[in-house]
Amino acid sequence: MCGNVEIAKSVFKNSQMGVETISTLVKVVKDEKMLEELYSELGEYKRINDRARDILLNFGQQPESINPAAKASADISVKMNTLIDKTPSHVAEMMMQGNMMGVIKCIKIIKEHPKADKTCLSLANDLLKHEESNITQLKRFL
């Protein structure tokens, strides 16, 4: 299978983390333009997550959710980081740090499995492009 399942699992978890983080952030962010950006990013993370889930199911794999401890840690981190500073600049910085982690994970998984199916590589590249685009879009809030 040349890493197809590994790529789909990685993209599923990475995009799920984006969904979870943004879902927590939109509850505390008040700035209209930042909310608009976050909801835009959220929609694309959900689309990519659905594609990854479908690919996993096609390979007979059950999508694995984010580890509950990692999910709780991320949730607490978002809440703590926005407790004192909810400014668009601070939120953008937090998001950009998460996006950069996503970029690194995408590049690594693509390089580890260069012979994977085009569908799986396309999925990983789409997430990579989304993470990079998010960084570009968020710069205007710094």
Side-chain angles (χ1 to χ4, degrees):
M1 285 216 259
C2 304
N4 294 329
V5 171
E6 290 82 358
I7 289 175
K9 282 182 177 181
S10 178
V11 170
F12 183 81
K13 286 184 178 181
N14 198 351
S15 58
Q16 188 68 40
M17 184 61 83
V19 169
E20 297 290 337
T21 301
I22 293 173
S23 295
T24 301
L25 268 174
V26 296
K27 295 173 187 171
V28 296
V29 170
K30 303 294 183 221
D31 183 83
E32 292 287 328
K33 291 199 182 293
M34 177 55 78
L35 281 171
E36 185 178 306
E37 176 62 30
L38 291 173
Y39 279 117
S40 172
E41 291 182 19
L42 179 61
E44 186 61 18
Y45 277 124
K46 285 181 177 180
R47 283 187 283 282
I48 291 170
N49 190 257
D50 287 346
R51 286 175 52 205
R53 183 196 67 238
D54 290 347
I55 288 171
L56 285 168
L57 292 173
N58 284 338
F59 282 115
Q61 300 286 317
Q62 192 62 34
E64 297 173 19
S65 294
I66 302 168
N67 176 311
K71 184 177 174 182
S73 175
D75 190 53
I76 290 168
S77 177
V78 167
K79 288 177 181 173
M80 292 297 293
N81 272 298
T82 56
L83 190 61
I84 296 172
D85 190 353
K86 296 177 182 73
T87 62
S89 176
H90 183 68
V91 171
E93 183 178 344
M94 287 172 40
M95 287 295 298
M96 290 170 77
Q97 289 170 354
N99 291 136
M100 187 50 73
M101 287 190 287
V103 166
I104 292 166
K105 287 178 184 176
C106 285
I107 291 171
K108 282 184 170 184
I109 199 74
I110 290 166
K111 287 190 175 221
E112 287 171 8
H113 304 287
K115 294 183 180 179
D117 287 348
K118 288 181 183 179
T119 302
C120 293
L121 289 172
S122 175
L123 175 69
N125 277 303
D126 286 349
L127 179 58
L128 175 60
K129 288 175 193 166
H130 181 56
E131 299 283 17
E132 291 172 333
S133 173
N134 292 347
I135 291 168
T136 300
Q137 293 301 314
L138 289 164
K139 286 178 184 178
R140 65 189 162 119
F141 292 99
L142 295 178

